Amino acid sequence: TEIASIERQRLDLDELVVELRVKGGGWRTAALHPAAAEYLRIWMSYGVNGNRVFCPVQKNRLVLSDQPIGDHAIWKIVGKRRDLAGLDQRITPHSFRRWF
């Protein structure tokens, strides 16, 4: 949920930080790895111009920048990439909270 709801104005790619909305409506600041910041710059260069950083992409590669991506989509993306990389099945989106 935190990843799916990242707002553009709360993302600072130069300072390598992002503010995430947490349960209860509060905010926490999280560090970004420099490589992650570079990938985010590339992603945002594809025309992501809505309030959210992550938004749905249709099969025809149309970016729906006015809609937020759902939690389920994040799970599917991480699961697909995990399986392609041959990683442990226990890796989920929640695993990345502890990773960096």
Side-chain angles (χ1 to χ4, degrees):
T1 301
E2 291 176 359
I3 292 293
S5 63
I6 294 175
E7 298 173 2
R8 291 176 61 93
Q9 67 269 21
R10 301 215 178 247
L11 178 64
D12 189 334
L13 297 177
D14 296 323
E15 294 294 324
L16 301 176
V17 295
V18 60
E19 290 181 328
L20 301 169
R21 184 173 295 279
V22 296
K23 292 178 185 176
W27 295 92
R28 73 175 178 93
T29 301
L32 289 172
H33 189 280
E38 187 56 34
Y39 283 117
L40 284 167
R41 281 187 187 91
I42 293 167
W43 164 245
M44 293 171 69
S45 75
Y46 285 108
V48 179
N49 54 17
N51 185 38
R52 304 284 183 204
V53 171
F54 297 110
C55 48
V57 179
Q58 293 183 329
K59 289 184 180 184
N60 64 2
R61 296 187 178 201
L62 176 65
V63 177
L64 304 175
S65 60
D66 59 334
Q67 298 177 24
I69 194 168
D71 296 353
H72 183 70
I74 298 283
W75 276 85
K76 285 177 63 174
I77 292 165
V78 170
K80 179 180 179 179
R81 299 300 175 194
R82 174 202 60 216
D83 295 345
L84 287 171
L87 299 175
D88 189 314
Q89 293 292 308
R90 293 175 292 178
I91 294 175
T92 68
H94 190 73
S95 303
F96 293 99
R97 290 180 52 111
R98 298 179 292 271
W99 180 71
F100 180 68

